[in-house]
Amino acid sequence: MNTLTVNLGKRSYPIYIGSGLIDQAALFQAHLTGEAVYIVSNTTVAPLYAEPLKITLTQLQKQVHLITLPDGELYKDWSHLQTIFDALLQHGADRHTTLIALGGGVIGDMTGFAAASFMRGVQFIQVPTTLLAQVDSSVGGKTGINHPLGKNMIGAFHQPVAVIADLSTLQTLPARELSAGLAEVIKHGAMADADFLNWIEKNAAALLACESKALAYAVLRSCEIKAAVVAADERENNIRATLNFGHTFGHAIEAGLGYGKWLHGEAVGCGMVMAADLSMRLGKIQPAEAARLKQLIHTMGLPTVAPKFGSERYFELMQLDKKTTGGKIRYIVLDQLGAAVIESVPEALVKETLQASGAT
Ligand code: NAD
Ligand code: GLY
């Protein structure tokens, strides 16, 4: 098992990465305070992993409750957040209750937001079961739900008390979800570490084959990169925005198609192709470098051609991005492979990128 720390002073917390961690009572014990524990999961993940987790927590003499939500991005909304609050209140949860998010990024974001707001804040543990959640969404404390007019528009920063990433759970992940997670792995290489990007290219086949050793390193290095960025800029005043490489275009794709049509990671994959194209048009990276990133994204089974909404609609959707300030859309572009920056970009260049990506 590898253990990292997200350094945030009194709110610092460990990320445990290893196989079979759901069965290790001692890992959970160190982070549970009250008597009651609420596992929040969904109809796909609960049948696979809720029972073993319940057994582990019962060994610790905890009262364990399970809240099962429907599965999908479509349900990351107010009414299903309310389902969590209903269950907590009906069963008499109190301020010492711990929530455990057992699932992918949707469950992690919703459980985190429920924990941030229930009784003005209770603690929660992330037990991410998708690659995307293990390499990205479970770390850093961004929690929330979608609004019909924009993704993740309602939420809070609320850090977990621990992240317990059990690599064994990835063995049941559908191939499409594995690819979606690999998009965020590629993102970490592209925005922060060119050596890691080389490693991903060399290990693409092993990653796609779900080989444990390769996945373990991809999760570890991604969490190291993300933990360092979050420790430096928890509230996204500056460099944390670079973790959004590919997301300005990606969120527009997700919202434009309707949530759930493309997976978040798929939209980010295509968004990174577009952001790399834009970086090339700004003269920051070479055409061969943009092509190299596009090839890697394609190799990982991710889309590289943008849905055709037309440039006007793309600009409208991108206006809703949380990085937009004073009506000006800001983009994360690559200064070079392995180094991202946030910039305002001339609209004409963005139009060229939209055209080159199939968006218009
Ligand atoms: P997801 O949570 O929808 O999970 C993907 C699918 O895999 C679901 O059908 C789920 O039930 C299933 N699943 C989960 N674990 C499984 C397992 N071990 N075996 C079999 N099936 C399993 O999607 P995701 O890609 O994990 O997360 C996407 C969400 O994360 C988006 O809502 C996105 O906005 C959010 N996100 C948040 C952050 C953040 O910093 N908070 C970062 C990136 C993404
Ligand atoms: N996924 C982007 C962030 O956590 O900041």
Side-chain angles (χ1 to χ4, degrees):
M1 183 179 81
N2 283 296
T3 306
L4 307 175
T5 303
V6 182
N7 287 307
L8 290 167
K10 281 187 184 154
R11 288 172 298 108
S12 296
Y13 56 93
I15 306 171
Y16 305 108
I17 302 165
S19 293
L21 303 191
I22 279 181
D23 304 324
Q24 293 191 22
L27 281 187
F28 289 87
Q29 185 169 31
H31 304 288
L32 295 173
T33 47
E35 294 309 309
V37 182
Y38 287 74
I39 302 168
V40 183
S41 192
N42 71 23
T43 47
T44 303
V45 180
L48 293 169
Y49 302 111
E51 200 47 42
L53 181 55
K54 265 185 173 177
I55 291 170
T56 301
L57 297 167
T58 310
Q59 283 166 23
L60 300 171
Q61 272 78 53
K62 297 292 172 189
Q63 297 160 23
V64 188
H65 304 265
L66 174 64
I67 303 172
T68 307
L69 301 177
D71 182 6
E73 185 76 38
L74 213 59
Y75 307 107
K76 189 176 164 183
D77 63 6
W78 269 120
S79 71
H80 293 88
L81 187 68
Q82 180 77 359
T83 305
I84 302 177
F85 296 137
D86 290 348
L88 292 173
L89 290 166
Q90 277 158 13
H91 292 100
D94 62 26
R95 284 194 163 147
H96 304 288
T97 293
T98 300
L99 306 193
I100 298 184
L102 175 69
V106 169
I107 286 295
D109 282 11
M110 290 184 76
T111 308
F113 189 32
S117 35
F118 184 70
M119 295 199 176
R120 300 199 183 91
V122 295
Q123 65 165 36
F124 83 114
I125 296 174
Q126 289 271 20
V127 181
T129 62
T130 62
L131 181 61
L132 184 138
Q134 295 191 356
V135 300
D136 190 352
S137 63
S138 64
V139 174
K142 278 190 183 174
T143 73
I145 56 170
N146 298 327
H147 185 279
L149 293 180
K151 190 160 163 60
N152 297 332
M153 280 294 158
I154 319 293
F157 284 97
H158 187 59
Q159 301 293 343
V161 291
V163 178
I164 301 178
D166 187 337
L167 298 167
S168 323
T169 61
L170 301 181
Q171 294 305 323
T172 54
L173 203 58
R176 192 175 164 201
E177 299 293 347
L178 184 77
S179 288
L182 289 171
E184 302 282 10
V185 175
I186 294 170
K187 177 195 78 178
H188 287 127
M191 49 75 61
D193 184 350
D195 289 342
F196 184 41
L197 198 62
N198 293 337
W199 179 90
I200 298 164
E201 282 176 331
K202 287 202 186 91
N203 291 276
L207 290 165
L208 284 166
C210 215
E211 282 180 19
S212 308
K213 212 171 139 199
L215 285 176
Y217 183 68
V219 174
L220 176 66
R221 186 66 196 122
S222 291
C223 286
E224 281 172 355
I225 290 169
K226 181 152 187 186
V229 173
V230 168
D233 178 26
E234 182 186 8
R235 295 276 169 147
E236 198 169 309
N237 292 314
N238 43 68
I239 69 156
R240 183 161 180 173
T242 59
L243 287 171
N244 269 307
F245 177 60
H247 286 59
T248 313
F249 294 111
H251 283 164
I253 292 172
E254 279 188 277
L257 287 173
Y259 298 122
K261 281 258 169 52
W262 278 21
L263 302 179
H264 174 72
E266 291 173 336
V268 168
C270 189
M272 288 193 289
V273 174
M274 298 164 87
D277 180 274
L278 189 58
S279 313
M280 178 193 76
R281 285 172 205 283
L282 286 162
K284 289 173 176 289
I285 63 170
Q286 295 302 312
E289 293 174 310
R292 185 181 150 198
L293 196 60
K294 184 175 180 175
Q295 179 56 49
L296 179 59
I297 289 163
H298 174 72
T299 300
M300 293 308 197
L302 295 159
T304 57
V305 178
K308 213 178 266 309
F309 306 146
S311 51
E312 207 177 306
R313 180 70 180 133
Y314 266 93
F315 281 115
E316 208 175 88
L317 290 164
M318 290 191 298
Q319 276 288 342
L320 285 168
D321 189 271
K322 288 192 285 306
K323 293 185 296 300
T324 297
T325 38
K328 244 189 158 8
I329 303 168
R330 295 184 307 152
Y331 298 85
I332 311 301
V333 289
L334 297 176
D335 253 351
Q336 57 188 59
L337 284 185
V341 288
I342 181 161
E343 280 191 13
S344 296
V345 175
E347 206 173 286
L349 282 189
V350 181
K351 280 188 177 156
E352 284 179 23
T353 286
L354 289 171
Q355 196 162 23
S357 319
T360 62

